[in-house]
């Protein structure tokens, strides 16, 4: 691969091919990473981004192709091997070990010993230092499983950057690969991550994958676009700037389409909420029929906890929750029966990862797939198949095979399975907590369209999101939360007229 | 629950067990004339029935990623209760086993769920309790006789002169519960609880109801086995009977959710026992 005028090539991959059975995930892909740059990698869900990265660090064996590291042939046997060459990766789907403590996880595979005994205190102290440096709100003795998804994400970023902060290998050249590092994060945490990337850039080369095009454009020096396992091209953002819309077109192979949402606030109240949990949140609001009401707040503001309280997975201290004037029961099952649904971007709590796509879609949709047989609620496999096919098509799940095991799907496609399940269920009220985390721009567009249509036909939504773009496009009302309270509400007129930048300013001013 | 390396390995285990089973039958029918005699075949079936029933029940609990260690004790206790009522109730007494078994199973589920005790420990405790209760009930008598003919006939009348009726009941129940596990909402949900508890909860399913039901089924089938045992033997004693291990082994090796594999493994383990007896 040719490098432009005297740039030092850190890592190059040439002609990488990777097959899974008959399916070609990577078809002759090239990638080059220069020393001290941030290389953005973009592409649709399932286009092969994660697979390419796994090949680079030895987590997947390529079927063909060559990799060179600083001019020398490089074929890592496993991620540990890559790590010893100064390459580390933050995986898209956590790949965390829930039963370890934070410091044990951070040092996993590179434990510090004194003789043959683990030097726990040393590792603990260094980890605490690291957590503080990255402003991660947990202690080195916490168990991974007790952390929120966002904090878990930050901890895996800490693990990848261990050498950068604690002084070991400080002089080494390093490569850090971040596979959708910010998908689960709030804007505060995002800016911490990106500040660190900017700070370390002199010493570290980064590869960053993201579906949030704007943030990636802002941080990247160059951008590689992949579609269907092939290179579309690589842009040098210093030579020529690129807009999110242009990038969208390169990724999808078609223009971005506008989404039209009728934002008339409805008069018929379907949900009345008054909930309080000591030290977490204390809010009251209502939801109208056919409305999409948005919630925005950073970590600690209580928005995500509010979402969990609405579906009944978080106990509240006091409050009322009324749907159409009727008080709702406390359990998740009772609320789902009453026509409320909840979905989040956290796959671990939503998907049966070892099950097929079809069975995962069925999970909330019994009434659509059952027949009665001798008083037994029997699953009608034909109906089940039909339902899966219909909603896989709607959400654009790849591969379009209802029997594909969820584990083998790309991160974004896993998320689409959860979307498909709840779109099929059509509850009167759907609580969405970061529904499009990790979902590509094309599907996002399609999903917004579905949501808007569904709202127009009378379904109501509560949308908790970190994505202001998403909120200002869809919502007829936006509540901004801070320290557990709604501190400001923007009505539809305001949302029409204010730009994202204005809203950002309002949020900053809170 | 134990995952012995996933589906593939499970399939291989079942096939290799089937192979061993056939091999063993061929070998021993040549080497030991009594083995394939009418009597020999009947003995194998009589041993098989409780193992199979307990294994099928245990599978539902395993599917929900819990354990039930008390089925051996439920088997003993329900056979004691059945024998106790047989003289008054006659053939109807056969229903005492399943009814009390389901209640004991439900109690297991409640100790596990409301006591928030891991099922392994909860059912270890109830295993000891149920066995103790059986001992108390028979105190003073070494053996509870239940020799009424019409009662015993439910287990040991013969179909085609080699198949005891209790074998027929066991097969009907096995086929029914395999169907429940594979084709109904109930089976799917129980399996889902084992696959991902949180995801199942968030999908809107009343998880507790299904977990309790899984334990109740496990107890129910152990109770069926206990009732049939009382009828077959014409009574019951409170002596511990080593049936837990083969039943759990059959359920585990056959894997979750249940398929015909559980039948093959159960037959294999039973035949194996019989062979060991013959060698002795
Ligand atoms: N272990 C596997 N077995 C079978 N197919 C796989 C496996 N891993 C990945 N694939 C397939 O390869 C394709 C590329 O997956 P990959 O995870 O690289 O996508 P991606 O570009 O990272 O997508 P996303 O943006 O959703 O994360 C997908 O279609 C996926 O289904
Ligand atoms: Mg990916």
């Amino acid at each position: 691969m040719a490098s432009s005028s005297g740039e030092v090539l850190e890592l190059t991959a040439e002609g990488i091919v990777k097959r899974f059975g008959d399916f070609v995930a990577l078809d002759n892909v090239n990638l080059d990473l220069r020393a001290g740059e941030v290389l953005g990698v973009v592409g649709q869900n399932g286009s092969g981004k994660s697979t390419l990265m796994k090949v680079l660090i030895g987590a997947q064996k390529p079927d063909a192709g060559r990799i060179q590291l600083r001019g020398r042939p490089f074929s890592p046997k496993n991620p540990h091997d890559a790590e010893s060459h100064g390459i580390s990766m933050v995986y898209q789907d956590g790949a965390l070990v829930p039963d370890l403590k934070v410091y044990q996880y951070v040092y996993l595979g590179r434990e510090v010993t004194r003789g043959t005994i683990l030097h726990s205190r040393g590792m603990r102290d260094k980890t605490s230092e690291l957590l503080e440096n990255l402003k991660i709100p947990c202690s080195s003795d916490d168990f991974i499983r007790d952390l929120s998804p966002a904090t878990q994400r930050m901890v895996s970023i800490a693990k990848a950057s261990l050498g950068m902060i604690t002084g070991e290998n400080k002089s080494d050249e390093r490569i850090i690969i971040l596979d959708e590092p910010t998908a689960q994060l709030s804007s505060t945490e995002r800016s911490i991550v990106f500040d660190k990337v900017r700070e370390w850039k002199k010493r570290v080369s980064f590869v960053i994958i993201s579906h949030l095009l704007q943030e990636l454009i802002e941080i990247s020096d160059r951008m590689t676009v992949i579609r269907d396992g092939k290179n579309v091209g690589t842009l040098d953002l210093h030579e020529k700037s690129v807009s999110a819309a242009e990038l969208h077109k390169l990724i999808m192979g078609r223009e971005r389409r506008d989404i039209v949402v009728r934002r008339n606030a409805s008069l018929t109240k379907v949900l009345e909420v008054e909930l309080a949990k000591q030290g977490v949140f204390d809010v009251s609001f209502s939801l109208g029929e056919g409305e999409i009401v948005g919630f925005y707040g950073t970590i600690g503001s209580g928005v995500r906890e509010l979402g969990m309280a609405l579906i009944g997975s978080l106990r509240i201290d006091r409050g009322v929750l009324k749907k159409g004037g009727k008080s709702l029961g406390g359990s998740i099952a009772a609320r789902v029966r009453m026509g409320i649904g909840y979905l989040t971007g956290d796959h671990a709590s939503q998907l049966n990862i070892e099950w097929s796509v079809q069975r995962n879609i069925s999970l909330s949709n019994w009434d659509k797939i059952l027949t009665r047989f001798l008083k037994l609620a029997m699953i009608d496999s034909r109906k089940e198949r039909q339902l899966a096919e219909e909603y896989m098509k709607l959400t654009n799940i790849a591969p379009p095979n209802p029997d594909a095991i969820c584990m083998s799907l790309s991160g974004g496609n896993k998320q689409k399975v959860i979307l498909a399940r709840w779109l099929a269920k059509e509850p009167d009220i759907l609580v969405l907590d970061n529904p499009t985390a990790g979902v590509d721009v094309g599907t996002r567009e399609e999903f917004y369209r579905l949501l808007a249509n569904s709202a127009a036909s009378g379904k109501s939504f509560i949308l908790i999101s970190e994505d202001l773009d998403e909120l200002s496009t869809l919502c007829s009302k936006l509540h901004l939360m801070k320290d557990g309270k709604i501190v400001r509400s923007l009505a539809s007129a305001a949302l029409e007229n204010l730009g994202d930048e204005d809203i950002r300013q309002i949020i900053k001013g809170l | 629950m134990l995952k012995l390396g996933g589906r593939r390995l499970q399939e291989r285990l079942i096939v290799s067990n089937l192979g061993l089973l056939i091999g063993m039958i061929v070998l021993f029918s040549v080497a030991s004339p009594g083995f394939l005699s009418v009597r020999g075949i009947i003995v194998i079936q009589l041993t098989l029935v409780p193992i199979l029933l307990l294994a099928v029940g245990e599978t539902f609990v395993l599917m929900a990623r819990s354990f039930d260690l008390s089925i051996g004790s439920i088997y003993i206790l329900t056979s004691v209760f059945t024998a106790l009522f047989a003289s008054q109730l006659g053939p109807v007494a056969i229903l005492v086993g399943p009814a009390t078994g389901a209640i004991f199973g439900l109690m297991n589920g409640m100790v596990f769920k409301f006591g928030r005790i891991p099922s392994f420990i909860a059912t270890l405790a109830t295993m000891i309790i149920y066995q103790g209760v059986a001992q108390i009930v028979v105190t003073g008598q070494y053996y509870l006789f239940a020799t009424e003919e019409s009662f015993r006939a439910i287990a040991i009348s013969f179909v085609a002169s080699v198949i005891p009726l209790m074998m027929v009941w066991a097969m009907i129940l096995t086929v029914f519960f395999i169907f429940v596990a594979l084709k109904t909402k109930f089976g799917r949900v129980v399996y889902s609880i084992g696959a991902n508890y949180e995801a199942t909860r968030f999908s809107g399913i009343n998880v507790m109801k299904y977990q309790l039901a899984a334990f109740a089924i496990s107890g129910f089938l152990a109770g069926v086995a206990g009732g049939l045992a009382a009828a077959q033997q014409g009574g019951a004693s409170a002596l511990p009977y080593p049936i837990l291990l083969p039943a759990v082994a059959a359920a585990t090796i056959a894997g979750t959710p249940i398929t015909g594999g559980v039948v093959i493994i159960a037959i294999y383990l039973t035949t194996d026992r019989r062979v060991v007896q013959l060698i002795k």
Side-chain angles (χ1 to χ4, degrees), chain B residues 72-88:
Chain B
S73 298
I74 294 183
Y75 170 70
I76 301 289
L77 182 53
T78 52
S79 72
V80 166
F81 274 131
T82 310
L84 207 57
F85 285 103
S87 52
Q88 299 152 35

Side-chain angles (χ1 to χ4, degrees), chain A residues 20 23 25 45-51 92 180 211 399 408 410-412:
Chain A
F20 295 107
F23 176 76
N45 294 133
S47 56
K49 306 179 296 297
S50 299
T51 307
Q92 181 175 9
E180 296 188 35
H211 292 289
S408 76
S410 78

Side-chain angles (χ1 to χ4, degrees), chain B residues 142-162:
Chain B
Y142 176 69
Y143 198 82
L144 287 173
F145 284 98
T147 46
E148 202 185 325
E149 276 311 312
S150 58
F151 169 64
R152 296 200 62 195
I154 293 169
I156 49 168
S157 2
F158 284 87
V159 179
S161 65
V162 284

